[in-house]
Amino acid sequence: MSYAPFIKEIGRGPKGSKPLSVEQAEALFGDMMDGRVPDLELGAIILSMRIKAESLDELLGFQRAMDARSTTIAVPPGPRLVVLPTYNGARRQANLMPLLALLLAREGVPVLIQGRHDFDTRVSPFALLDALDIHPAASIADAEGQLATRRLACLPLDTLAPGLAPLLALRPRLGVRNSAHTLAKLLDPAPGHSVRVVSMTHPEYLERIHAHLVAQGGVAMLLRGTEGEAFANPRRRPRLEVFIHGQASVAFPAEEGGAPPIEGQPDDPEVQANAALIRAMLDGSLPVPQPILDQVAALRELSVVPRA
């Protein structure tokens, strides 16, 4: 396939470029995931899309390509599977993504943590998970067994979507993120049986992904992530928006005001200190921040939406 026609459409800058159709976007991203696009053209596509930004049709097409190349996972009977992406890690605040997962699993809601870590300047979420005795499953079957027995499993992106991982790995080489970073947070390993938790940082991406989740359907939660991670900021709750089969609503509005540190809850992203903080919240020695409790409540409600 010649990629020049694609680049010609998307590579003319934010004003002169034109969006691809759903079908064109699906074909292009499929070739990107399959490793068929030569390096020169791949770099041109990534940078052009970075400047132009993905349209709704392009995101839908990209999602189709990703879904066709992703591994599915069996969900045990009962509530839907909550899918928690982790791609950023901690920078200044403690990472409470594992706390969210453990609180949901404690209530019988199955949770799959999926992700990858490429940031040398941040504390790896997988090191934190290891400290909490949450280790990546050895296989899909192993993850399915963990979901059935302990309601919690972790899988690396390479296992769920092998073609997506090399695209994410280009970030250190190119210096910028690309469309694969957005798609990774939209990964659905249990179509019709999942609740995807989708976190974005920039307001324009929150708007873009809102439109995508409405158009795509399914069950999901969208929020502004904490340092990029998919948990509600314990200092000030972001808006928690929920999606049920194309209908969007606000489960909890955003809190107003500042976001000062919480007394008695240190902001230490170091692995052992972070793990100790989570254990203290789990055993009741420290209170679980209300924004986290609100997120748990909203996800628990979404998990009982009838499966497809």
Side-chain angles (χ1 to χ4, degrees), residues 13-65:
K15 294 182 179 180
S17 60
K18 296 180 181 178
L20 304 176
S21 68
V22 174
E23 293 73 21
Q24 288 175 318
E26 181 179 4
L28 177 60
F29 201 71
D31 278 9
M32 290 169 65
M33 288 190 66
D34 292 341
R36 295 178 180 176
V37 185
D39 284 352
L40 178 63
E41 287 87 341
L42 181 60
I45 291 165
I46 286 174
L47 291 178
S48 295
M49 197 63 70
R50 171 72 172 171
I51 294 169
K52 182 186 80 65
E54 305 89 348
S55 69
L56 175 58
D57 281 352
E58 287 165 345
L59 279 175
L60 289 171
F62 291 171
Q63 178 97 49
R64 285 185 188 178

Side-chain angles (χ1 to χ4, degrees), residues 75-99:
V75 181
R80 286 173 173 267
L81 175 71
V82 171
V83 183
L84 273 179
T86 181
Y87 288 88
N88 291 65
R91 182 172 50 189
R92 292 186 296 267
Q93 291 184 230
N95 184 354
L96 298 187
M97 177 275 297
L99 173 66

